[in-house]
């Protein structure tokens, strides 16, 4: 038998992940009521697959992590869940933490329609059963020049897209966030006049199907907190944070490039592509570096990397494109 030798860039569990992630890992399945159903045929297999998946992928991430990045610590859970952007719950960074409790996340269905052979409405539980869960640690870079390292739990969006069979004219995916009456911003005329809800985002179909693109249902081994976009949010690690749309209820495959919320608000500041790029400044600030949010408080800034460090997996999708124009 060949024994596999780990490469230096691969994740060392003990280095990068706090122990409690591993202890919490099963909780997500439990909380979603899946482990609770273990008497139902097929569920045991699911459970086995889910934990196996996570293990396999712990060693076989489909991207490389350079050593420098590998040593970067995770952002503490406490910070990743209290410093948020979720405008439906207010404009201040701590508004989502204080106010997102009213978000109703169960039951949750996702509608997929538009240019597909098989339009569906699928429940969160069905998606998890069908597509399994993996944990991946990604660097997250907000357009406002702060960053975090977050362990996400979810599945590749490409699996879901294949499942609905896009028609040949499907070129883009439009995503929409839920609108619920209890969301403070929906009721607040001054915010509602500024941002038109539902929050919308879009990806090119090849971007949506890239192996790095995930739909996350959890983070740090736990179910997503409401303020982070429960129960289902997009994770596209090479793009600025605003592309990572939260609390998704609809995906529509379309022919033409969709208009997204920030792009509509100010297209000179927020492009459709929004690929992380240190050489293309935001009109009001440089994007050359970023404030990493880790333990403690630090004003130290680290250099920002093209495509947030994921160029090897994604740069080919933009070959020949002028990234200064297609920002
Ligand atoms: N529906 C919705 N999704 C959203 C936002 C929002 O205001 N509403 N903010 C975006 C922005 S600007 C960022 S930086 C990330 C923040 O994700 P986090 O709070 O999990 O760090 O969510 C993105 N997704
Ligand atoms: Mo952001």
């Amino acid at each position: 038998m060949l024994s596999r030798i780990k490469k230096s860039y691969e994740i060392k569990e003990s280095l990068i992940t706090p122990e409690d992630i591993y202890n919490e890992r099963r909780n997500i399945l439990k909380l979603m009521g899946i482990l609770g159903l273990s008497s139902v045929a097929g569920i045991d297999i699911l459970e086995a697959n889910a934990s196996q998946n996570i293990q396999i992928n712990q060693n076989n991430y489909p991207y490389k992590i350079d050593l420098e990045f590998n040593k970067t610590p995770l952002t503490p859970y406490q910070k990743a869940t209290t410093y948020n952007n979720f405008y439906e719950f207010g404009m201040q960074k701590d508004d989502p933490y204080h106010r997102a409790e009213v978000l109703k996340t169960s039951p949750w269905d996702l509608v997929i329609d538009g240019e597909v052979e098989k339009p569906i409405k699928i429940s969160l539980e069905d998606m998890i059963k069908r597509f399994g869960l993996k944990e991946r640690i990604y660097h997250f870079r907000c357009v406002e020049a702060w960053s975090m390292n977050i362990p996400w739990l979810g599945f590749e969006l490409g699996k879901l897209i294949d499942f609905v069979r896009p028609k040949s004219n499907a070129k883009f995916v439009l995503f929409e966030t839920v609108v619920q009456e209890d969301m403070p911003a929906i009721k607040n005329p001054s915010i509602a006049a500024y941002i038109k809800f539902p929050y919308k985002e879009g990806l090119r179909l090849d971007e949506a199907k890239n192996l790095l693109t995930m739909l996350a249902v959890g983070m740090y081994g736990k179910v997503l907190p409401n303020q982070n976009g429960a129960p289902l949010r997009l994770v596209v690690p090479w793009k600025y944070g605003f592309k990572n749309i939260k609390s998704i209820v609809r995906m529509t495959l379309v022919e033409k490039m969709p208009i997204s919320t920030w792009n509509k608000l100010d297209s000179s500041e927020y492009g459709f592509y929004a690929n992380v790029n240190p050489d293309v400044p935001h009109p009001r600030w440089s994007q050359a570096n970023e404030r990493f949010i880790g333990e403690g408080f630090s004003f130290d800034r680290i250099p920002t990397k093209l495509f947030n460090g994921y160029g090897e997996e994604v740069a080919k999708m933009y070959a020949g494109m002028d990234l200064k124009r297609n920002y």
Side-chain angles (χ1 to χ4, degrees):
M1 255 237 241
L2 282 176
S3 68
R4 195 169 161 281
I5 298 164
K6 270 198 191 176
K7 300 209 179 69
S8 61
Y9 55 74
E10 292 182 77
I11 279 195
K12 293 189 185 68
E13 292 192 7
S14 55
L15 234 184
I16 196 155
T17 317
E19 222 178 33
D20 59 348
I21 291 179
Y22 294 91
N23 299 335
E24 289 283 355
R25 192 168 269 158
R26 287 164 61 91
N27 284 356
I28 190 158
L29 294 173
K30 245 190 238 158
L31 281 167
M32 300 194 138
I34 290 172
L35 286 186
L37 296 175
S38 58
S39 58
V40 179
I43 298 292
D44 285 335
I45 296 171
L46 161 81
E47 192 192 333
N49 278 345
S51 49
Q52 218 179 29
N53 250 342
I54 290 165
Q55 262 198 1
I56 289 170
N57 285 284
Q58 202 62 36
N59 293 329
N60 286 335
Y61 284 173
Y63 61 93
K64 292 179 187 174
I65 296 177
D66 57 51
L67 276 176
E68 178 203 357
F69 188 80
N70 200 355
K71 281 185 203 131
T72 309
L74 289 184
T75 296
Y77 180 80
Q78 184 272 333
K79 292 192 180 172
T81 55
T82 55
Y83 187 89
N84 301 99
N85 281 328
F86 199 167
Y87 278 54
E88 287 86 334
F89 296 97
M91 316 279 261
Q92 302 303 317
K93 287 285 183 285
D94 61 348
D95 282 341
Y97 170 70
H98 290 298
R99 298 173 168 182
E101 215 178 345
V102 295
L103 181 69
K104 288 182 277 305
T105 60
S106 174
W108 195 270
D109 290 321
L110 172 68
V111 170
I112 309 178
D113 58 6
E115 303 300 327
V116 295
E117 304 286 351
K118 195 172 125 186
I120 53 166
K121 184 177 188 176
I122 184 168
S123 71
L124 190 71
E125 292 77 13
D126 267 5
M127 282 186 270
I128 293 171
K129 276 183 213 172
R130 224 171 253 284
F131 307 120
L133 293 178
K134 312 177 162 176
E135 183 178 79
R136 288 193 191 160
I137 297 157
Y138 282 151
H139 193 56
F140 182 92
R141 170 63 157 80
C142 176
V143 73
E144 299 159 346
W146 51 265
S147 63
M148 298 184 179
N149 285 339
I150 298 184
W152 300 104
L153 208 48
F155 54 88
E156 285 143 6
L157 175 59
K159 290 185 181 173
L160 179 57
I161 291 180
D162 288 343
F163 184 66
V164 297
R165 298 200 302 272
K167 293 183 181 167
S168 59
N169 59 337
K171 301 285 184 256
F172 294 89
V173 186
L174 168 67
F175 301 83
E176 281 177 44
T177 294
V178 74
V179 175
Q180 291 177 2
E181 275 180 9
D182 286 342
M183 289 171 153
I186 306 288
K187 294 188 277 197
N188 180 327
S190 64
I191 302 182
Y194 172 61
I195 303 178
K196 291 272 167 280
F197 297 108
Y199 191 101
K200 292 183 188 178
E201 257 311 332
L203 293 175
R204 231 167 51 186
L205 188 61
D206 59 333
E207 297 177 321
K209 291 184 70 170
N210 186 280
L211 281 179
L212 296 188
T213 307
M214 286 174 87
L215 282 181
V217 299
M219 58 194 272
Y220 298 82
K222 307 175 208 263
V223 173
L224 278 179
N226 289 357
Q227 60 270 33
N228 292 84
L232 185 72
R233 60 95 52 88
L234 183 67
V235 182
V236 260
W238 70 98
K239 291 180 181 284
Y240 290 122
F242 66 87
K243 297 296 287 185
N244 295 248
I245 182 171
K246 296 176 166 181
S247 307
I248 304 167
V249 285
R250 184 180 219 104
M251 282 169 43
T252 308
L253 278 79
V254 294
E255 261 189 273
K256 299 219 169 73
M257 185 181 280
I259 309 276
S260 44
T261 297
W262 288 103
N263 193 228
K264 191 172 174 182
L265 269 174
D266 193 335
S267 60
S268 69
E269 302 204 358
Y270 312 103
F272 173 81
Y273 283 97
N275 292 323
V276 175
N277 191 336
D279 300 327
V280 179
H282 184 277
R284 292 183 280 139
W285 58 83
S286 160
Q287 294 290 28
N289 53 51
E290 62 201 46
R291 179 172 59 91
F292 177 73
I293 299 178
E295 300 281 352
F297 186 82
S298 161
F299 284 107
D300 288 351
R301 297 181 79 86
I302 58 171
T304 290
K305 294 179 180 169
L306 181 61
F307 300 119
N308 210 20
Y310 299 101
E312 200 172 313
E313 292 76 21
V314 305
K316 54 187 176 297
M317 294 191 289
Y318 311 104
M321 260 174 69
D322 179 351
L323 297 177
K324 291 210 158 73
R325 281 187 51 194
N326 298 284
Y327 55 85

